[in-house]
Amino acid sequence: MNRLTSVGTDDSQEQPKVLLVDDDEVNLLLTSIALRERGFSITEASSGEQALQIISEWLPDVVVLDAVMPGLDGFATCQELRHLPGYESVPVLMLTGLDDEASITRAYEVGATDFFIKCTQWSLLAGRLRYLLRASRTRHELERSKATLARAQDLARMGSFDWRQGVTDIVFSMEGMRVFGLGGRDRLGLKRILRMIAPEERQSFERILREVLDHGTVLCNDIQVNLHDGRQRILHIEAEPEFNELAALIGYTGIVQDVTDRRVAEDKIKHLANFDTLTGLPNRRQIFWRSERAIEHAKRLNHHVALLQIGVDRFKIINENLGHHAGDELLIEVSRRLRSCVKHSEQVMEGNMEMTGMRGHRTLEAVGRLGADEFVVLLPEIVNEAEAMDTASRILQALRDPMMAAGQECFITASIGIALFPAHGLTVADLLRNADVAMDLAKSQGRNTAQLYDLQLASKGRVRLDLDTALHKALERDELVLYYQPKIDVRTSKMVGAEALMRWVRDGKLIPPIDFIPLAEATGLINAMSLWAITQAARQAKVWQKQFGFDASIAVNLPSRLFELPDLVDKIQAILDQEGVPPHFLELEITETGLMKDLQGVVPSLHRLNQMGIEISIDDFGTGYSSLAYLTTLPISELKIDRSFVHDLGTTPQSSAVVSAIIALARALGLRVIAEGVEEVSQMEVLYNLGCHICQGYLFARPMPAADVDTWLTNTEADQSLPRVALLSGDMGSSAISSTPV
């Protein structure tokens, strides 16, 4: 019989696929019908040859073979089938009418999964087939899990091993052998593994193994091995003990994993977290850690610790002119020279700091980089402050030699601040802060020097910080006020204008301008404060105009930083419009030094302000460092003689000569001239005789609140108390002070 029949329902895809092979046509038909009725999808073959032909193109879930057939019998067919790719584990049920032990043994020898005696008990046959299918699925899942595990272990570079008590060799999985760079046929015992370990670590690992075996504890350790191909790898070994029913140790099972890449990555992350990437020096975090350890040792051994904070002087200039790459080269060279001044600075790795004996803390000594152009030196043990100063001197000397940056020779210096434990702080944070304060003082004293921390420095710093915080809130709290100092024409003793001077009333106390104006300039608050002053002065001029016919101008100091505002002129115009004040009521004073900081940037704004009708005055004239050529091109209306020249008038001929030259220059250029800081009648006389008729100073009036100006005018007019040149020189007869100020 030669026929091939595949019969199934619509859901035959889900039915178990059975290849039924039998040369008995009746038995084949009956068995097929019975199995189909019990949910199987049947494909029939009447000979072994036909069965092999079918399975060459199709894979059944299970094969049912008749043992005794003409030609290729069931035993031979099963044997051939097992040699076909993909059929190594397909369940094969051998049907036989033979119940002798030899036939059953032969069936298993040729690869049959199970056997079944031919009978008409179809339910038993169906049950046996389902059992085979379930067992096959379980086996396939186990094989897939095993393959997945093996793949995962390969990817993780991990393998397993097993060791039994009394056995020399350790049984490694294939993956475990690959971790050691070996093949499946190699043998790997404990002695061979120990020979792979570096001699300096081998003894330590042997000691750990003995302790683990003696106590039956868990093994968890990393070892560095040299593989047969010369590679160095780091292996992680974990093993757990196994005990028999008598609680006796019988062996260990565990895993071995190649963790080299992970350890390298961890070391790199650790290095990035603790060391500066540019210079390789310990960063702030690492220096903080080392300093804490050093302080702990100092407390126990009763010695001093020093922190030296080092700032590279004028590094920003080099960075901006030669570029950041040149700046990096410079920082690298600075770090190299700093390390050469400190004994243990090369021992920067935390893992290399062996705390052996009582002097191990000295290896904490290091040079670190705090950031940008600032470095720090930790000296974990010094006898006194002189030793720290000696180190600072070595550093300053080492940095004096020229350095190369971007192919150009550069000379740099440094400012060093020194703080000591326990004299200047008990914590690392205190020492770093105080070393920073001392470094700032070194910079303020001319740079290229070292400064030891002084307690008075800290108090000044805290006062400055307190003022800085309060100054930010002074405007919103209405703590700023303007005081006004009159300008006097000495020929008539009349007020011909006033200067607005800013004051700060904090907690009922008047803060001197010298204490907060530089701070406001440093923080940038001076811009908002100056615009506020212009607004208040314009408003006050309008009030005085209504009170006593004031028709002069109020001068307001204009800091050079204010000209950085691109819309400065528009802001001032908006203030005048808002207050309804004519421009001639406002005069703006700018210092000669401030003017020359950015002459090209200031000139356009000055011209626009002058076109609006606002007069410009040069304050502190004669103290600057510039050429006088700008006087011929700028829209200036007034020169103000600095008080430093006025102070010595009448006592030194040099001061009279300078003032005379300024007045002559002003006359030649058609400018008004005014002298400030006039405190003596003799000064007023000399100024008048030299040609300066307008004066300002304590001789006439101190700066006063706006409300007091009207009272001051009334009183001075009533008693004619203001000094007047006409009464002293006789050139104006007995002219009295006018009751109506100009």
Side-chain angles (χ1 to χ4, degrees):
M1 175 182 173
N2 282 316
R3 65 190 181 101
L4 176 62
T5 306
S6 289
V7 182
T9 61
D10 293 339
D11 61 349
S12 60
Q13 296 269 344
E14 301 176 0
Q15 294 177 328
K17 296 176 293 184
V18 178
L19 176 60
L20 183 61
V21 185
D22 198 333
D23 67 313
D24 188 330
E25 185 175 345
V26 175
N27 194 48
L28 182 64
L29 178 61
L30 293 175
T31 306
S32 297
I33 294 173
L35 292 178
R36 287 192 182 99
E37 290 176 350
R38 287 163 176 77
F40 294 91
S41 175
I42 304 300
T43 298
E44 300 173 358
S46 58
S47 66
E49 292 82 0
Q50 187 182 17
L52 293 176
Q53 181 181 355
I54 292 172
I55 61 179
S56 65
E57 302 174 356
W58 174 68
L59 181 65
D61 295 321
V62 63
V63 177
V64 180
L65 278 174
D66 185 14
V68 180
M69 292 185 296
L72 202 64
D73 63 9
F75 300 106
T77 303
C78 182
Q79 193 168 20
E80 290 288 334
L81 182 146
R82 289 303 185 205
H83 289 94
L84 295 176
Y87 281 85
E88 297 86 350
S89 59
V90 173
V92 176
L93 181 66
M94 192 76 74
L95 291 178
T96 177
L98 306 173
D99 57 357
D100 60 291
E101 185 176 344
S103 299
I104 296 172
T105 300
R106 185 183 175 195
Y108 285 126
E109 288 176 350
V110 297
T113 309
D114 204 353
F115 71 94
F116 190 79
I117 304 299
K118 284 186 177 181
C119 65
T120 57
Q121 294 180 347
W122 310 116
S123 296
L124 291 177
L125 177 60
R128 183 62 63 86
L129 290 176
R130 289 192 177 92
Y131 171 79
L132 290 179
L133 289 169
R134 186 164 60 250
S136 177
R137 282 194 298 271
T138 301
R139 185 173 60 254
H140 282 306
E141 290 172 0
L142 288 174
E143 290 176 353
R144 280 197 301 270
S145 297
K146 184 178 179 181
T148 302
L149 177 60
R151 178 59 178 161
Q153 288 180 343
D154 273 343
L155 292 174
R157 298 180 181 179
M158 177 190 295
S160 59
F161 66 86
D162 184 82
W163 173 78
R164 299 292 98 185
Q165 187 88 327
V167 178
T168 304
D169 287 343
I170 303 173
V171 179
F172 282 89
S173 66
M174 182 65 69
E175 295 78 15
M177 296 297 288
R178 283 198 286 267
V179 168
F180 285 94
L182 301 174
R185 296 185 179 182
D186 292 320
R187 298 183 64 182
L188 185 59
L190 181 58
K191 290 184 178 180
R192 185 174 182 182
I193 294 175
L194 290 174
R195 284 196 297 269
M196 293 182 180
I197 302 175
E200 58 272 14
E201 296 184 11
R202 186 182 305 156
Q203 187 175 0
S204 174
F205 184 62
E206 288 178 346
R207 185 174 62 254
I208 293 173
L209 285 179
R210 282 194 297 269
E211 291 178 357
V212 167
L213 291 173
D214 290 343
H215 299 90
T217 56
V218 173
L219 172 66
C220 183
N221 200 61
D222 287 354
I223 59 172
Q224 182 172 325
V225 297
N226 298 310
L227 303 185
H228 67 90
D229 57 4
R231 290 181 299 154
Q232 288 188 342
R233 310 300 291 177
I234 299 175
L235 305 184
H236 176 71
I237 299 176
E238 285 190 28
E240 291 188 352
E242 292 186 6
F243 303 93
N244 60 17
E245 62 276 5
L246 300 177
L249 180 68
I250 60 174
Y252 273 85
T253 58
I255 59 99
V256 58
Q257 183 178 15
D258 187 334
V259 295
T260 308
D261 294 342
R262 188 182 73 191
R263 283 285 296 275
V264 169
E266 289 175 352
D267 290 343
K268 185 175 182 179
I269 292 172
K270 185 177 180 180
H271 191 275
L272 291 174
N274 291 281
F275 295 86
D276 177 54
T277 55
L278 176 65
T279 62
L281 297 177
N283 59 15
R284 179 184 291 271
R285 178 178 181 272
Q286 174 71 190
I287 285 293
F288 207 97
W289 181 88
R290 288 169 178 257
S291 300
E292 286 181 334
R293 303 288 83 74
I295 289 175
E296 290 175 3
H297 284 286
K299 289 177 180 178
R300 292 199 301 269
L301 303 176
N302 195 28
H303 59 247
H304 301 285
V305 175
L307 276 179
L308 284 65
Q309 187 158 332
I310 305 160
V312 180
D313 296 333
R314 300 181 181 88
F315 173 74
K316 184 179 180 182
I317 297 175
I318 297 175
N319 214 31
E320 289 177 349
N321 287 277
L322 298 182
H324 293 287
H325 181 70
D328 290 346
E329 289 182 10
L330 203 64
L331 291 175
I332 292 171
E333 176 60 18
V334 169
S335 68
R336 187 191 67 79
R337 295 191 185 186
L338 291 178
R339 286 198 300 268
S340 69
C341 298
V342 180
K343 303 172 188 173
H344 299 92
S345 63
E346 297 300 333
Q347 300 176 1
V348 295
M349 291 301 294
E350 187 175 317
N352 291 341
M353 294 187 298
E354 297 291 342
M355 299 300 182
T356 56
M358 297 299 290
R359 295 301 181 189
H361 61 279
R362 289 186 175 179
T363 58
L364 290 165
E365 186 174 64
V367 177
R369 186 184 179 199
L370 294 182
D373 58 350
E374 290 189 356
F375 298 84
V376 64
V377 169
L378 168 64
L379 303 178
E381 180 183 352
I382 60 171
V383 177
N384 50 38
E385 62 186 44
E387 189 174 345
M389 290 297 293
D390 288 343
T391 301
S393 298
R394 288 200 304 271
I395 291 172
L396 293 175
Q397 183 62 40
L399 295 178
R400 287 193 180 102
D401 294 334
M403 301 182 186
M404 297 300 296
Q408 182 170 333
E409 192 175 55
C410 300
F411 290 87
I412 66 166
T413 59
S415 300
I416 304 176
I418 305 172
L420 272 60
F421 168 87
H424 304 146
L426 300 178
T427 67
V428 180
D430 290 340
L431 293 178
L432 282 174
R433 181 181 64 249
N434 294 337
D436 186 52
V437 171
M439 184 188 70
D440 288 341
L441 180 63
K443 289 180 180 291
S444 67
Q445 291 181 344
R447 308 174 189 272
N448 192 26
T449 186
Q451 176 66 46
L452 194 67
Y453 173 76
D454 187 346
L455 186 60
Q456 293 182 353
L457 300 176
S459 61
K460 291 180 180 179
R462 283 191 291 269
V463 169
R464 179 182 174 88
L465 179 61
D466 182 45
L467 281 177
D468 185 17
T469 303
L471 190 58
H472 276 78
K473 300 180 180 179
L475 270 175
E476 63 185 60
R477 292 176 176 173
D478 294 326
E479 293 178 350
L480 297 180
V481 295
L482 286 185
Y483 274 40
Y484 299 88
Q485 187 173 34
K487 298 178 181 179
I488 305 299
D489 188 334
V490 299
R491 296 169 299 183
T492 62
S493 294
K494 292 182 179 180
M495 185 174 81
V496 293
E499 180 181 2
L501 301 167
M502 195 179 302
R503 298 292 187 267
W504 179 17
V505 181
R506 183 188 178 203
D507 298 331
K509 297 180 181 179
L510 207 62
I511 307 297
I514 191 63
D515 288 342
F516 72 89
I517 293 297
L519 184 60
E521 291 177 344
T523 59
L525 288 174
I526 193 66
N527 289 349
M529 293 165 62
S530 298
L531 292 174
W532 170 87
I534 293 172
T535 303
Q536 296 300 314
R539 187 175 299 166
Q540 191 60 52
K542 187 175 182 181
V543 171
W544 285 346
Q545 197 272 336
K546 292 180 180 179
Q547 285 181 348
F548 48 79
F550 180 80
D551 195 33
S553 62
I554 297 179
V556 179
N557 291 294
L558 210 63
S560 58
R561 287 195 63 167
L562 203 60
F563 288 94
E564 297 174 1
L565 299 177
D567 56 347
L568 172 62
V569 178
D570 295 333
K571 287 181 180 293
I572 295 176
Q573 180 65 62
I575 291 172
L576 296 175
D577 294 342
Q578 178 183 338
E579 301 300 330
V581 175
H584 75 271
F585 274 5
L586 186 64
E587 182 182 29
L588 299 178
E589 291 185 358
I590 180 170
T591 63
E592 185 179 17
T593 302
L595 176 67
M596 298 311 298
K597 281 184 179 179
D598 184 19
L599 188 61
Q600 298 302 318
V602 171
V603 169
S605 297
L606 292 182
H607 278 289
R608 289 185 59 192
L609 290 169
N610 187 252
Q611 291 168 4
M612 289 168 50
I614 298 175
E615 292 189 335
I616 307 298
S617 173
I618 300 299
D619 194 9
D620 301 338
F621 185 77
T623 62
Y625 49 83
S626 61
S627 166
L628 298 179
Y630 72 88
L631 293 177
T632 63
T633 58
L634 293 181
I636 301 169
S637 303
E638 179 182 273
L639 295 182
K640 203 168 188 179
I641 303 173
D642 185 66
R643 64 180 66 247
S644 62
F645 301 127
V646 174
H647 182 267
D648 295 330
L649 280 178
T651 58
T652 61
Q654 291 85 355
S655 295
S656 298
V658 172
V659 172
S660 178
I662 294 174
I663 294 173
L665 179 64
R667 281 180 176 176
L669 296 174
L671 304 177
R672 292 192 312 272
V673 63
I674 179 174
E676 64 177 351
V678 180
E679 300 179 357
E680 305 290 341
V681 172
S682 60
Q683 296 170 347
M684 179 186 69
E685 289 179 329
V686 173
L687 287 167
Y688 177 76
N689 291 330
L690 292 175
C692 177
H693 302 151
I694 303 175
C695 295
Q696 175 186 343
Y698 287 177
L699 179 62
F700 309 100
R702 291 177 176 271
M704 65 189 81
D708 295 347
V709 173
D710 191 16
T711 304
W712 172 83
L713 277 173
T714 303
N715 293 339
T716 55
E717 289 174 358
D719 57 17
Q720 298 186 359
S721 58
L722 288 178
R724 182 165 47 179
V725 171
L727 296 176
L728 297 170
S729 62
D731 62 344
M732 292 187 66
S734 56
S735 301
I737 299 174
S738 173
S739 60
T740 305
V742 179

